[in-house]
Amino acid sequence: KLAPIILDNARLDIRLGRFKTAKRGIEKLLQINPDDSRAFYLLGEIYRQHGRAIDTQLALENYNRAITLDPGYAAAHKAIGLIHYKKSHHALAKKFFESCLQLSPNAPDKAYIQGYLKQCTLSEEG
């Protein structure tokens, strides 16, 4: 019953840059529910926002775990796309951005994702 509250608090902590606090809450949730895809997604967000090489790998592992638990989790697909885009792995990024839009065709940030898709396509062509 507390899972939505813990996840909301973690999201707010991440937005405020309180990564340690967010991580503690998520880890407590995972002790209770070790198969919560949303928790793994948020752990991925914490690591992605740190931006170090090791953190990027940990972010990918957590996003992939979220997708394994919930293949329709569009936000996790988008997040993996962003990581690959920043690494200039445009073909991989394109795959994940396309998956994100297929899973969530009315995403509020659809135009943003389409812009990345366009850049990926342009980089493949030229």
Side-chain angles (χ1 to χ4, degrees), residues 8 15-16 20 73 81 88 105:
D8 285 342
R15 283 188 195 135
L16 295 171
K20 288 181 183 179
Y73 202 154
S88 296

Side-chain angles (χ1 to χ4, degrees), residues 2-46:
L2 292 176
I5 295 168
I6 293 170
L7 292 170
D8 285 342
N9 283 341
R11 279 186 199 91
L12 290 172
D13 286 331
I14 291 168
R15 283 188 195 135
L16 295 171
R18 297 188 302 220
F19 300 121
K20 288 181 183 179
T21 304
K23 188 175 178 191
R24 274 194 306 269
I26 293 167
E27 288 171 345
K28 285 180 186 178
L29 174 62
L30 286 171
Q31 289 175 352
I32 299 165
N33 183 4
D35 292 330
D36 192 310
S37 61
R38 301 162 302 174
F40 284 104
Y41 168 76
L42 289 175
L43 278 177
E45 285 293 280
I46 291 168

